[in-house]
Amino acid sequence: MVDAAGTIAELFGSDEATPAGATMLDVARDIRANPRTIDCRDGRQLGYADCGDPDGDPLLVFHGFPNSRPFGALFDAAGRERGLRIIAPERPGFGVSDPAPDRAVADWADDVADLADALGLDSFPVLGISGGGPYAAACAARLPERIERAGIACGLAPLDSVAWRDRLPFLIARHAKPLAKLSLWSDGRTARRNPEAYLESTVESTAAADADLWRGEVGQVLLESDYEAVSRHGYGPLADELAVFAGDWGFDLGSIDVPVFLWYGRADRIVPLSMGLYYAERIPTAEAHVYPDQGHLSIVDDNETGILDALVDGQR
């Protein structure tokens, strides 16, 4: 994979637009091979992807778990088609981003503000997917002067929204980090040893509507993103992130007053619908879209046009 990434990087060039005919996976591998970073206010480096239309209006996309900046490649084609610059920062300790010990979800807003300042962005919409959902909510709460609209698709919510059995991975990370780290490492090793079998096992445990996406190029991009997540700092930051979700997020959902749009599928077996309903009940500006047969990946893939309409064009 490293050799393939290098070849694509030579084709693209680090500052060139995506060439015609490049696949989603090509874009993800180029993002891996050509890391971009900015310096945060505390001296940490923050990695990010910059794809889509380089001259377009910005849309910040917050990756899921355990992903990283190549996740942005999932929106490259839509970005080019709609004139959107897709910017996908990776969280502390993921990929080329330096770790930030003892962080809370709310602290992400400072990193996003630093990124926006470095890139000369005034205001913009944000989209948080799966594990990125809490961070979209944090930006809506803490950066209302810059966030035009926020979207959360199949996003994690505070653990109060689910039963105890669904809280266990997060609580283990918070109170028994070595055990969580070992579990994450084992899962990652399985994915590297046999990616096809790993994706097929994921198909068996998730929604039927997601099967073709896991087996296809979307699944390959997500694996590429997973590999990059642990490429510099290992599995410790992943365990730290799970623990962050189990702690105090550092802001009040009820304080959000920018438009927030929610997309959830009842068939999702990774993030339960109760998390979406939790947001809908507590965010005053929330507008929820729930689909009966869609799952964790299909909720984004099937509704991509509607998601971008809501966040970028203000259409519902």
Side-chain angles (χ1 to χ4, degrees):
M1 245 172 226
V2 173
D3 290 340
T7 301
I8 294 301
E10 291 174 3
L11 173 65
F12 282 15
S14 59
D15 295 317
E16 297 297 323
T18 305
T23 68
M24 185 190 305
L25 187 57
D26 290 339
V27 175
R29 288 174 172 170
D30 177 67
I31 289 169
R32 284 195 72 187
N34 295 285
R36 298 169 181 258
T37 62
I38 61 102
D39 292 327
C40 294
R41 65 190 69 183
D42 60 3
R44 286 180 297 110
Q45 284 198 325
L46 183 77
Y48 69 99
D50 198 337
C51 56
D53 182 349
D55 299 316
D57 295 329
L59 169 64
L60 268 63
V61 175
F62 302 153
H63 61 76
F65 179 91
N67 310 132
S68 58
R69 67 189 188 282
F71 188 92
L74 297 173
F75 295 89
D76 175 70
R80 286 184 281 115
E81 291 169 2
R82 297 185 64 135
L84 297 175
R85 181 183 179 187
I86 305 299
I87 301 168
E90 57 194 1
R91 295 188 286 279
F94 288 58
V96 296
S97 289
D98 291 332
D102 302 320
R103 65 184 175 95
V105 172
D107 296 330
W108 179 243
D110 292 335
D111 287 357
V112 169
D114 290 342
L115 177 63
D117 289 343
L119 300 182
L121 309 179
D122 293 325
S123 61
F124 43 86
V126 297
L127 172 61
I129 298 173
S130 190
Y135 298 97
C139 288
R142 297 195 61 218
L143 297 174
E145 72 284 358
R146 304 187 86 154
I147 303 303
E148 298 170 351
R149 303 175 191 89
I152 299 174
C154 57
L156 292 174
L159 298 189
D160 290 349
S161 63
V162 294
W164 276 101
R165 66 179 181 276
D166 293 320
R167 304 180 194 184
L168 283 179
F170 307 96
L171 296 175
I172 289 172
R174 188 165 180 82
H175 301 290
K177 179 179 174 180
L179 185 58
K181 185 177 175 181
L182 177 61
S183 176
L184 291 163
W185 172 83
S186 177
D187 192 61
R189 183 182 64 170
T190 300
R192 287 178 180 275
R193 284 184 169 179
N194 193 333
E196 292 77 15
Y198 180 82
L199 290 174
E200 192 60 36
S201 68
T202 304
V203 167
E204 295 172 0
S205 62
T206 56
D210 293 343
D212 289 343
L213 294 167
W214 283 114
R215 291 184 177 122
E217 194 173 21
V218 169
Q220 295 175 35
V221 169
L222 290 174
L223 278 186
E224 196 79 17
S225 179
D226 293 354
Y227 299 155
E228 178 62 14
V230 297
S231 62
R232 270 76 169 181
H233 305 291
Y235 290 88
L238 270 62
D240 290 339
E241 167 127 313
L242 292 177
V244 165
F245 293 142
D248 184 346
W249 285 15
F251 65 95
D252 179 10
L253 293 173
S255 70
I256 296 174
D257 61 5
V258 302
V260 176
F261 302 91
L262 310 171
W263 291 271
Y264 284 80
R266 289 185 182 276
D268 191 341
R269 297 181 189 174
I270 296 175
V271 172
L273 176 59
S274 63
M275 288 193 163
L277 299 179
Y278 187 97
Y279 279 128
E281 292 170 358
R282 287 163 177 80
I283 298 177
T285 58
E287 178 178 305
H289 302 264
V290 178
Y291 298 86
D293 301 319
Q294 291 175 2
H296 199 64
L297 302 185
S298 50
I299 192 66
V300 178
D301 190 72
D302 291 354
N303 298 289
E304 183 179 69
T305 297
I307 290 171
L308 296 180
D309 283 346
L311 295 180
V312 178
D313 300 327
Q315 302 173 4
R316 303 182 184 181

